Amino acid sequence: MKLHELSDNEGATKKRKRVGRGPGSGTGKMGGRGIKGQKSRSGVSINGYEGGQMPLYQRLPKRGFTKPNRKSYAVVNLGLIQKFIDAKKIDASAAITEDALISSGLVRRKLDGIRVLAKGDFNAKVELQVSGASKSAVEAVEKAGGKVTVTAPAAANADA
């Protein structure tokens, strides 16, 4: 087999539709837009338009509030931490910090901090240093003989 003999399987690729390229293409002349009217013109976006009637999204009342400075935490369950300790991806003899959780691959990014929840079985004697932990998670770690230190989450914007 040579490089010039390589080709895709039959039906693996499909040719791009070229609109407005003559009558032989099947989408010549009007380019599949029909005749006249608002939708045949360029630059038209009429999503949610109801023909002059007040649109549904404007008739319904506004509700709720989005807190502009709310904190979002990366969440980790104790069962997963135990799994990573058993697989020797996390060193249980040293204190387990947020950076250790990230470098092990258990957490992708810190966000405003890492919060530990109590889902799963946990029996390792470890010292955890995280931004947050549920009461049940703290109890589970202490029951296994460990200790949880909750640090203040890092300020997102120090000069504000």
Side-chain angles (χ1 to χ4, degrees):
M1 176 170 281
K2 298 184 178 78
L3 278 177
H4 71 275
E5 294 171 350
L6 289 174
S7 66
D8 275 323
N9 294 334
E10 200 60 45
T13 55
K14 192 176 175 185
K15 281 199 135 177
R16 186 171 70 90
K17 182 193 274 194
R18 296 181 67 222
V19 176
R21 291 292 182 274
S25 68
T27 49
K29 195 178 178 186
M30 264 96 79
R33 285 175 178 259
I35 305 168
K36 294 188 185 174
Q38 187 177 10
K39 284 169 142 170
S40 74
R41 318 279 188 222
S42 68
V44 173
S45 172
I46 47 177
N47 211 356
Y49 182 72
E50 295 186 21
Q53 173 176 294
M54 186 60 67
L56 181 68
Y57 67 89
Q58 283 181 293
R59 279 176 294 186
L60 297 175
K62 286 185 189 163
R63 196 174 152 82
F65 170 77
T66 305
K67 191 174 176 183
N69 59 346
R70 78 158 189 262
K71 303 243 179 289
S72 64
Y73 294 99
V75 176
V76 178
N77 288 313
L78 280 177
L80 275 174
I81 294 176
Q82 181 65 52
K83 207 172 174 182
F84 270 59
I85 290 170
D86 294 342
K88 303 271 191 281
K89 290 182 181 176
I90 295 177
D91 181 21
S93 58
I96 298 175
T97 61
E98 293 182 343
D99 295 329
L101 291 172
I102 291 167
S103 61
S104 70
L106 182 55
V107 182
R108 183 171 287 175
R109 55 183 70 87
K110 205 186 286 191
L111 301 176
D112 290 322
I114 295 176
R115 186 169 156 82
V116 177
L117 303 181
K119 188 175 181 184
D121 299 323
F122 192 76
N123 51 28
K125 185 179 177 184
V126 294
E127 187 182 330
L128 269 174
Q129 294 174 356
V130 286
S131 314
S134 64
K135 281 182 187 172
S136 50
V138 173
E139 286 168 14
V141 172
E142 287 172 354
K143 186 178 165 195
K147 184 179 151 199
V148 176
T149 311
V150 176
T151 58
N157 196 354
D159 58 352

